[in-house]
Amino acid sequence: QVQLEESGGGLVQAGGSLRLSCTASGTIFRIIAMGWYRQAPGKQRELVASINAGGGTNYGDPVKGRFTISRDNAKNMVNLQMNSLKAEVAAVYYCSSQLYTNYAAWDDYWGQGTQVSVPS
């Protein structure tokens, strides 16, 4: 089994910053990529940012230049630094990881989600 534990969500004023962290644990052979998605009420889940084992990153257009994703491979951890927050970023943020549980089997795993609120 694999678990993704998220932390760092909460309420922050517009213009402020927030840092989300996620740690993967359990039966992990090799992590391919980790990332963050978000889902606001009435909207589809969308990519925020992802990072692969080599450090290559991919950002959703709305957050480019304001959010930074980083990864600690030794700790199976991914972080998301969110700066200059606006009300429209409010959503439930989900950690995601694509990983191998053995040399042949891989799958996508999700955390429970953490709420980010930015009062307008």
Side-chain angles (χ1 to χ4, degrees):
Q1 279 208 344
V2 174
Q3 297 83 37
L4 300 182
E5 184 173 353
E6 300 136 330
S7 62
L11 187 148
V12 62
Q13 297 301 314
S17 298
L18 206 59
R19 184 179 177 87
L20 305 182
S21 295
C22 172
T23 301
S25 62
T27 307
I28 299 171
F29 180 72
R30 181 168 66 90
I31 294 178
I32 302 167
M34 298 187 77
W36 293 91
Y37 288 73
R38 67 186 181 189
Q39 187 167 19
K43 296 186 177 181
Q44 289 188 332
R45 191 173 295 190
E46 63 176 359
L47 171 71
V48 178
S50 65
I51 184 167
N52 62 32
T57 58
N58 185 33
Y59 291 93
D61 287 341
V63 307
K64 287 180 179 177
R66 294 188 295 120
F67 290 11
T68 302
I69 191 168
S70 60
R71 179 171 165 176
D72 186 333
N73 290 334
K75 297 180 179 179
N76 292 337
M77 175 184 289
V78 63
N79 301 303
L80 183 69
Q81 179 67 40
M82 304 185 293
N83 297 327
S84 302
L85 291 174
K86 304 177 182 179
E88 55 261 33
V89 309
V92 178
Y93 283 68
Y94 296 91
C95 178
S96 173
S97 181
Q98 188 176 69
L99 59 88
Y100 282 87
T101 53
N102 59 55
Y103 74 96
W106 66 270
D107 206 343
D108 294 315
Y109 296 86
W110 295 88
Q112 294 295 313
T114 184
Q115 178 71 49
V116 172
S117 301
V118 184
S120 57

